């Protein structure tokens, strides 16, 4: 691994717009030679900071490459906190290759994935949770994901953990007061007990955030809706009807579906994956038995479970599996099925004709809104967030329980809690964590 100081002394460049033919493409530069590179490209002095200027850029032989807009962002008022520049060229592959070749001749190197954002974090322009929010915003496919990512990119999660830090530091001050000045007459006895309200508030707030983490991760990663039932209940037909296309093979023969078949949709602004599963029953067939095992596992892990029933009686084979919504796939007159359908969790219809499918879709949407609403609130959206705050919460609870008998140990617990919060923010020694996180970013970001 290259030394971080050596890496940051290098000036990097990359295409930060989408690759391929385009009307305009944007090249981004960052590092101490950014200004010199602009001057070398244009054979002119630097333009005024943050003002777009039209300049001709030339290769090493003085031949014209293009006449782009260029922008100059001197440190520290730039995205990375370093000297930065942008070059807005016409988006042809030939122009991009010529500019890249010239930048290489001027001593710059191609950026690695996520290197611009990583430099922004290391220069204090954003913390790690904001950088992760930026990555999520770039990857957002739905409105819900956009809202949540924008919230974290804007510092909502940072504000939350800074509040916890403040409470822990207030509690630590009370405890340290008793430890350091226990013999002083003007220091009240059991001063550390005043730390209790701070610790209670921090622990309860962390617990609430951890509880909402299921929602936050579901919004970021997408929701799983499992369709379960006995063989030949009409699960595959229902999947096709829900997504409006033939993604699963249907047949009157029981046991057609052996493996999980998935299809994607957007419901209530969130990405949803429907999973058609094997019919649930006891079987001596090894392949079918494996399909049933996978079906049960998918249902247990799903955010929502739709149970398809061929008759309006309880199907066997589900065992201890619970369902959120039941779709009674009845062979009845469509108008009658609509007329008798009254329950939000018990939908009557016919998957083949499409009757009741819209009612089922609406029921799924209501369930998603009930469980995963409030996307504007900050949330722990990654397992890394959950692990850091779960560890911090345990440390705070340990400290609270030791206040009366062992304030010195409580003090150490609170320091451990602060270390975990610093890890969440990306302010501790996390070189390997940084490598893993920023390797998932696109080049040029």
């Amino acid at each position: 691994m290259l030394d971080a100081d050596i890496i940051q002394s290098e000036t990097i460049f990359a295409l930060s717009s989408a690759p391929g033919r385009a009307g305009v493409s944007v090249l981004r530069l960052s590092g101490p030679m950014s200004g010199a590179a602009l001057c070398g490209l244009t054979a002119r002095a630097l333009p005024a900071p943050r003002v777009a200027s039209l300049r001709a850029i030339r290769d090493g032989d003085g031949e014209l490459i293009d006449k782009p807009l260029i922008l100059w962002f001197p440190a520290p008022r730039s995205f990375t906190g370093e000297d930065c520049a942008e070059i807005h060229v016409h988006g042809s592959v030939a122009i991009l290759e010529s500019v890249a070749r010239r930048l290489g001749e001027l001593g710059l190197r191609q950026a690695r994935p996520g290197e611009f954002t990583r430099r922004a974090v290391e220069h204090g322009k954003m913390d790690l949770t904001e950088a992760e929010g930026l990555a999520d915003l770039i990857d957002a496919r739905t409105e819900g994901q956009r809202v949540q990512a924008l919230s974290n990119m804007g510092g909502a999660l940072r504000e939350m953990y800074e509040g916890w830090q403040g409470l822990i530091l207030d509690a630590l001050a009370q405890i340290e007061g008793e430890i350091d000045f226990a013999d002083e007459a003007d220091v009240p006895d059991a001063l550390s007990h005043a730390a209790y309200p701070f610790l209670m508030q921090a622990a309860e707030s962390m617990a609430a955030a951890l509880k909402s983490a299921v929602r936050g991760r579901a919004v970021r990663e997408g929701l799983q809706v499992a369709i379960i039932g006995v063989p030949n209940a009409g699960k595959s037909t229902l999947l096709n009807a829900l997504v409006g296309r033939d993604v699963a093979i249907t047949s009157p023969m029981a046991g057609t579906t052996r493996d999980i078949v998935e299809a994607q949709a957007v419901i209530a602004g969130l990405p949803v994956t429907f999973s058609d599963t094997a019919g649930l029953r006891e079987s001596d067939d090894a392949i079918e038995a494996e399909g049933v095992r996978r079906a049960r596992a998918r249902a247990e892990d799903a955010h929502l479970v739709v149970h398809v029933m061929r008759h309006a009686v309880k199907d066997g084979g589900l065992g201890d599996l619970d369902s959120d919504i039941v779709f009674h796939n009845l062979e009845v007159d469509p108008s009658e099925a609509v007329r008798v359908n009254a329950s939000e969790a018990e939908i009557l219809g016919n998957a083949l004709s499409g009757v009741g499918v819209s009612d089922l879709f609406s029921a799924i949407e209501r369930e998603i809104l009930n469980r995963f609403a409030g996307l504007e609130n900050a949330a722990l959206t990654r397992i890394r967030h959950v692990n850091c705050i779960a560890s911090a919460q345990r440390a705070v609870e340990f400290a609270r329980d030791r206040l009366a008998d062992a304030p010195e140990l409580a003090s150490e617990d609170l320091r451990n809690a602060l270390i975990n919060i610093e890890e969440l923010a990306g302010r501790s020694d996390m070189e390997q964590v940084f490598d893993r996180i920023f390797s998932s970013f696109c080049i040029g970001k």
Side-chain angles (χ1 to χ4, degrees):
M1 183 183 302
L2 293 176
D3 184 85
D5 291 336
I6 294 176
I7 291 174
Q8 290 201 35
S9 69
E10 298 174 321
T11 301
I12 57 175
F13 73 93
L15 178 68
S16 61
S17 54
R21 183 170 174 264
V24 175
S25 294
V26 179
L27 286 154
R28 172 182 280 176
L29 287 61
S30 182
M33 292 178 59
S34 295
L38 279 188
C39 293
L41 280 171
T42 63
R44 292 179 60 182
L46 290 171
R50 290 169 294 280
V51 175
S53 302
L54 183 65
R55 299 282 177 91
I57 57 175
R58 301 180 183 277
D59 64 18
D61 297 325
E63 294 294 325
L64 180 68
I65 298 175
D66 194 17
K67 291 184 177 179
L69 288 175
I70 64 170
L71 292 101
W72 165 237
F73 303 95
R77 296 179 60 188
S78 69
F79 175 75
T80 63
E82 304 175 320
D83 285 346
C84 287
E86 289 183 2
I87 307 171
H88 296 233
V89 297
H90 292 99
S92 82
V93 174
I95 290 175
L96 291 172
E97 289 181 348
S98 294
V99 177
R101 184 165 52 250
R102 181 58 179 149
L103 290 173
E105 292 170 355
L106 291 170
L108 281 64
R109 69 163 173 82
Q110 286 273 2
R112 301 181 179 91
E115 190 167 1
F116 287 92
T117 307
R118 178 169 180 164
R119 290 188 177 200
V121 171
E122 292 173 338
H123 286 96
K125 304 300 287 187
M126 62 176 70
D127 75 0
L128 192 54
T129 66
E130 291 166 328
E132 289 168 328
L134 173 58
D136 291 342
L137 184 64
I138 293 170
D139 292 337
R141 293 172 289 141
T142 68
E143 180 67 7
Q145 290 177 323
R146 181 193 68 80
V147 171
Q148 180 171 270
L150 197 61
S151 175
N152 277 356
M153 191 188 79
L157 186 51
R158 173 178 51 78
E159 292 177 7
M160 181 182 290
Y161 74 67
E162 285 179 347
W164 296 330
Q165 282 179 315
L167 291 168
I168 293 171
L169 289 171
D170 287 340
L172 194 57
Q174 301 293 329
I175 297 170
E176 293 293 338
E178 179 177 344
I179 294 173
D180 293 341
F181 303 103
D183 298 331
E184 298 292 332
D186 59 346
V187 177
D189 292 335
L191 181 61
S192 65
H193 291 182
Y196 190 83
F198 297 116
L199 299 185
M200 282 296 297
Q201 186 177 347
E204 290 173 359
S205 178
M206 288 179 182
L210 289 168
K211 186 176 180 181
S212 74
V214 174
R215 175 188 63 79
R217 290 185 62 199
V219 171
R220 176 177 176 266
E221 299 169 3
L223 302 175
Q224 293 286 337
V225 177
I227 303 174
I228 64 171
V230 298
N232 215 27
K235 301 182 297 298
S236 299
T237 302
L238 181 61
L239 172 66
N240 292 342
L242 282 168
V243 299
R245 59 188 188 277
D246 290 336
V247 294
I249 297 174
T250 59
S251 168
M253 295 177 57
T256 302
T257 302
R258 297 294 186 95
D259 207 346
I260 294 171
V261 178
E262 295 183 340
Q264 283 69 43
V266 176
I267 303 177
L270 300 178
V272 174
T273 298
F274 287 105
S275 298
D276 176 25
T277 62
L280 299 174
R281 67 178 176 184
E282 296 294 329
S283 176
D284 295 329
D285 183 285
I287 296 177
E288 184 176 10
E290 174 62 18
V292 171
R293 185 197 68 78
R294 294 185 183 189
R296 293 181 62 83
R298 179 58 59 92
E300 289 170 354
D301 292 339
H303 298 96
L304 295 175
V305 175
V306 176
H307 177 194
V308 183
M309 297 174 63
R310 174 61 75 181
H311 306 290
V313 294
K314 184 70 173 178
D315 283 339
L318 296 188
D320 57 354
L321 289 179
D322 295 323
S323 57
D324 299 291
I325 302 170
V326 177
F327 182 80
H328 297 281
N329 192 23
L330 305 177
E331 294 182 359
V332 297
D333 181 76
S335 61
E336 183 69 10
V338 173
R339 186 182 66 81
V340 299
N341 180 23
S343 170
E344 290 187 355
E346 298 273 337
I347 310 297
L348 303 181
N350 183 279
L352 187 59
S353 68
V355 170
V357 174
S358 62
D359 295 328
L360 174 61
F361 199 92
S362 296
I364 294 171
E365 184 175 44
R366 283 193 299 270
E367 194 71 22
I368 289 174
L369 287 171
N370 288 339
R371 295 192 190 186
F372 303 100
L375 305 179
E376 70 281 358
N377 297 327
L380 309 180
T381 60
R382 298 173 182 242
I383 190 63
R384 187 187 75 83
H385 302 168
V386 173
N387 290 341
C388 289
I389 297 309
S391 297
Q393 185 202 24
R394 285 194 297 271
V396 168
E397 290 178 341
F398 288 154
R400 180 192 61 196
D401 295 340
R402 297 195 230 223
L403 274 180
D405 300 326
E408 297 89 351
L409 294 178
S411 177
E412 186 62 28
D413 289 330
L414 294 185
R415 287 189 173 84
N416 288 334
L418 290 172
I419 289 172
N420 281 285
I421 293 176
E422 289 291 295
E423 183 177 335
L424 173 68
R427 297 186 187 129
S428 57
D429 185 11
M430 300 176 63
E431 194 68 23
Q432 290 183 342
V433 176
F434 276 15
D435 288 343
R436 185 170 66 252
I437 289 173
F438 290 111
S439 66
S440 66
F441 279 56
C442 58
I443 293 175
K445 198 60 198 169

